[in-house]
Structure formats: structure tokens, C-alpha cells
């Protein structure tokens, strides 16, 4: 009986996860800070690092 109960519980868990994912996919998601500014912050950080390393490597 234990394998049968374990199988039933695992199926319920999978089904509830699938329902949650389906519900979330239909909701409109408002962009957060990372969606709005993530790429700009990443690019500016990369440019800053390159600029600093260029400056440091060219000092006599």
C-alpha cells in the first residue's frame, strides 16, 4: 500500500505544480527593476571595469 500512496501523492504534487505554472503564465507580469535596468547596469559596469583596467595598465 505504501508505493500506491506514494504514487498518488507524487501525482497530486505534479498536478498542483502544473496548475500553478498554468495560472502564472496567464497573469500579466509587471516588469521589475531588473527587467527595466538590468542590461544598462551590466553594460555600464563592464565599461567601467574596462576603463579602470585600461587606465591602470597604462600608468608608468
Amino acid at each position: 500500500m505504501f508505493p500506491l500512496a506514494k504514487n498518488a501523492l507524487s501525482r497530486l504534487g505534479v498536478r498542483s505544480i502544473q496548475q500553478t505554472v498554468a495560472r502564472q503564465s496567464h497573469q500579466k507580469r509587471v516588469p521589475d527593476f531588473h527587467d527595466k535596468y538590468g542590461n544598462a547596469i551590466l553594460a555600464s559596469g563592464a565599461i567601467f571595469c574596462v576603463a579602470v583596467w585600461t587606465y591602470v595598465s597604462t600608468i608608468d
Side-chain angles (χ1 to χ4, degrees):
M1 173 128 171
F2 181 73
L4 181 63
K6 185 177 177 182
N7 190 14
L9 287 176
S10 69
R11 287 180 185 233
L12 287 175
V14 170
R15 188 171 297 142
S16 66
I17 292 171
Q18 289 172 343
Q19 289 172 349
T20 303
V21 169
R23 261 186 264 129
Q24 289 175 350
S25 68
H26 292 295
Q27 293 177 352
K28 290 185 178 179
R29 193 171 80 86
V30 179
D32 62 354
F33 178 83
H34 298 287
D35 292 333
K36 289 181 180 179
Y37 305 112
N39 291 333
I41 291 173
L42 182 66
S44 63
I47 290 169
F48 177 78
C49 285
V50 169
V52 168
W53 277 106
T54 302
Y55 175 76
V56 169
S57 64
T58 57
I59 294 177
D60 270 340

